[in-house]
Amino acid sequence: MADTETVLLIDCWEDQHSIDAHHASPMMAKIMELREKYGLHMKVERYVSDENGVPAEDKAFIKE
């Protein structure tokens, strides 16, 4: 929050096909253009769902 030069974006997609469609959108083309123009950098972290579900010992900490 103290870094006025940083923006945090969190996106969520159902599957890889959805991510690919997002990357092929006109909006992403514009974002890429702006990143090049202004020398912007990004960091990507990818999280995936646990296919086995949430362990029982963790469920007490989650409110759905």
Side-chain angles (χ1 to χ4, degrees), residues 10-49:
I10 300 175
D11 291 322
C12 180
W13 295 277
E14 185 173 320
D15 53 27
Q16 185 62 46
H17 176 74
S18 299
I19 295 171
D20 294 342
H22 170 72
H23 287 158
S25 71
M27 175 191 66
M28 282 304 294
K30 184 62 176 179
I31 288 172
M32 294 297 291
E33 177 186 320
L34 293 170
R35 284 178 51 202
E36 289 297 319
K37 179 178 180 180
Y38 294 105
L40 304 176
H41 303 276
M42 64 184 284
K43 175 182 175 184
V44 174
E45 294 183 15
R46 186 176 278 212
Y47 299 90
V48 295
S49 295

